[in-house]
Amino acid sequence: MQEVNSPKQKPRRSRPVLVADAIKEWVVKRDLSSGDKLPNESAMIDQFGVSKGTVREALRILEAQGLIVTKTGPGGGSIVGEVSVERTRALLANYFYFQDLSIADIYQMRKSLEPELAASLAGKLTSEQILELRNLADQYPQPAKSAEEEKEQHIASLAFHSKLSDYGKNKLLGFIIGFMSQILTELTLYKQLYEPPNYELWRKGREHQLQLIEALVSGNSNKAREIMASHMQVAETLMKQQEAQIVRRFIAE
Amino acid sequence: MQEVNSPKQKPRRSRPVLVADAIKEWVVKRDLSSGDKLPNESAMIDQFGVSKGTVREALRILEAQGLIVTKTGPGGGSIVGEVSVERTRALLANYFYFQDLSIADIYQMRKSLEPELAASLAGKLTSEQILELRNLADQYPQPAKSAEEEKEQHIASLAFHSKLSDYGKNKLLGFIIGFMSQILTELTLYKQLYEPPNYELWRKGREHQLQLIEALVSGNSNKAREIMASHMQVAETLMKQQEAQIVRRFIAE
DNA sequence: TAAGATTTGTTCGTATGTATC
DNA sequence: GGATACATACGAACAAATCTT
């Protein structure tokens, strides 16, 4: 599997990306972690035998991926920087900018994952966490009086799910659920308001949240799963009513 | 919500970053899509009133995120580039480099998602796709004779799942499953081989693949779901036996 | 094949900004 | 405030890739 004679002429990597790769390798080889210092610019210029401009382009590449953070001044320079969730979500959103996700796609996944998350959290939450959830659920104790208000409630509800995903131990599961909540929130923020508030669905949704909290407190994981599953059905109906389209835009940075 | 007096002194965005943002905005505002041309370097130098070096750093940022592709020569320059799955997976992997994912975390998700995917594909595959799956499943018709051979079979099996995820219409679901297959493949590639081949599990795994293909062809979605669920149990046992640790390394680019 | 034109790629020297001591 | 150490930014020049004729 050599790269010789490969018909797929790979587009020759420019020097900045080669340097960026070299730096990444350097970091991994020494098993550096968040906060550890990298050599400064002039050291890299010597080390890799390239000019300042090239080194700087390489550093911008790593910075764009969230792998390093750079500071000026004495004691400054670049350090390894923990990649943030926000940036990662943004990068993932950029990918789906080109992929035409539908509401149905997102709900196919939510219906599988959210009940699983709820079940895994039953009996595992601290009283502070429970309190936070209650606060979110109580944020809108009355049915929405206008489409605008319903929108706000919908967003608060998504924040509830996002918060829940933070409480789980499974970082992958949490990330994906948080990502979907973000997409749906943006969708809700930007969408047209042409539907009147739906009282029946509102009532069910709120009821679900309260029942869910109760199940989480009592540690009944099967019940938590069931409630969340019903809730997803309701939420899906609500979203599909709006015939919303996924907002196409770059985010990142 | 002004940025004045914000206690959270946000780390002043450098000029390349600002230029990169401006370019992104420019692209979105015109609703450009994959392949459309951006102004060339000198035009940007004029347009933004910055130096060549600054423009180039901005372009490297966008390139690192997969948003543009740059070519030299006449008619060259930068174009909007569809963000590739590979790059996106790599960027996501960078995030989880810091998050200590466990095998259990990944399988909690696989157990939820893979059966769902299987069910959604029942009766929807073309004969070419079925053939490809059969080929992958038939790649190792005999039980592994060595640990090394078992490793190869395990990787082939993951390729089977990856392929399956490509066939679905749900891009988000496909992406996540593909991502997990990739992580597990790397894990398998780099892990120590201290366990002897496990014939019983091998037999079950292969049986599952064949039964699954059959269910997919006949369009029995409930059966497809069930088989995949059992298969996930087996696969999880196999992985956990190895006590593998998630490989920590940067990928990307 | 070869030459010329176009556009990105890379270097260097210099100057400026910024944080620490 | 001044000295120091570092990143940030500019501009001019030259190198390399690639398209056209």
Side-chain angles (χ1 to χ4, degrees), chain A residues 138-170:
Chain A
D138 285 346
Q139 204 162 343
Y140 296 96
Q142 299 301 323
K145 293 190 192 64
S146 66
E148 183 63 41
E149 217 175 292
E150 172 157 304
K151 188 197 261 195
E152 287 171 15
Q153 295 190 1
H154 196 164
I155 290 171
S157 163
L158 287 166
F160 181 93
H161 291 274
S162 203
K163 184 63 83 178
L164 216 53
S165 78
D166 288 338
Y167 293 158
K169 290 218 185 74
N170 188 333

Side-chain angles (χ1 to χ4, degrees), chain B residues 14-16 49-52 54 71-74:
Chain B
S14 63
R15 241 182 270 213
V50 296
S51 76
K52 184 178 162 101
T54 304
K71 263 178 34 180
T72 64

Side-chain angles (χ1 to χ4, degrees), chain A residues 81-99:
Chain A
E82 190 140 337
V83 183
S84 73
V85 235
E86 293 77 20
R87 178 178 242 108
T88 309
R89 283 203 195 126
L91 293 170
L92 192 58
N94 280 346
Y95 169 68
F96 285 107
Y97 178 94
F98 299 98
Q99 300 294 330

Side-chain angles (χ1 to χ4, degrees), chain B residues 73-98:
Chain B
S78 299
I79 58 174
V80 180
E82 190 139 339
V83 183
S84 72
V85 238
E86 292 78 19
R87 176 178 243 107
T88 309
R89 282 200 197 130
L91 293 171
L92 193 58
N94 280 347
Y95 170 68
F96 285 107
Y97 177 94
F98 299 98

Side-chain angles (χ1 to χ4, degrees), chain A residues 90-111:
Chain A
L91 293 170
L92 192 58
N94 280 346
Y95 169 68
F96 285 107
Y97 178 94
F98 299 98
Q99 300 294 330
D100 294 323
L101 272 190
S102 72
I103 299 283
D105 291 336
I106 292 180
Y107 274 93
Q108 182 183 20
M109 294 206 57
R110 289 193 87 193
K111 284 191 284 190

Side-chain angles (χ1 to χ4, degrees), chain B residues 28-44:
Chain B
V28 173
K29 193 151 279 173
R30 319 198 164 215
D31 197 33
L32 300 188
S33 47
S34 188
D36 293 337
K37 252 174 103 39
L38 269 59
N40 63 24
E41 280 185 5
S42 50
M44 290 186 182

Side-chain angles (χ1 to χ4, degrees), chain A residues 93 96-107 179-180 182-188 190-191 239 242-249 251, chain B residues 172:
Chain A
F96 285 107
Y97 178 94
F98 299 98
Q99 300 294 330
D100 294 323
L101 272 190
S102 72
I103 299 283
D105 291 336
I106 292 180
Y107 274 93
F179 177 70
M180 292 190 293
Q182 176 188 287
I183 289 186
L184 294 174
T185 299
E186 285 170 10
L187 209 60
T188 306
Y190 288 91
K191 81 182 170 198
M239 277 313 266
Q242 306 287 348
E243 290 178 11
Q245 295 181 333
I246 300 292
V247 186
R248 282 175 48 95
R249 65 194 185 96
I251 311 173
Chain B
L172 180 54

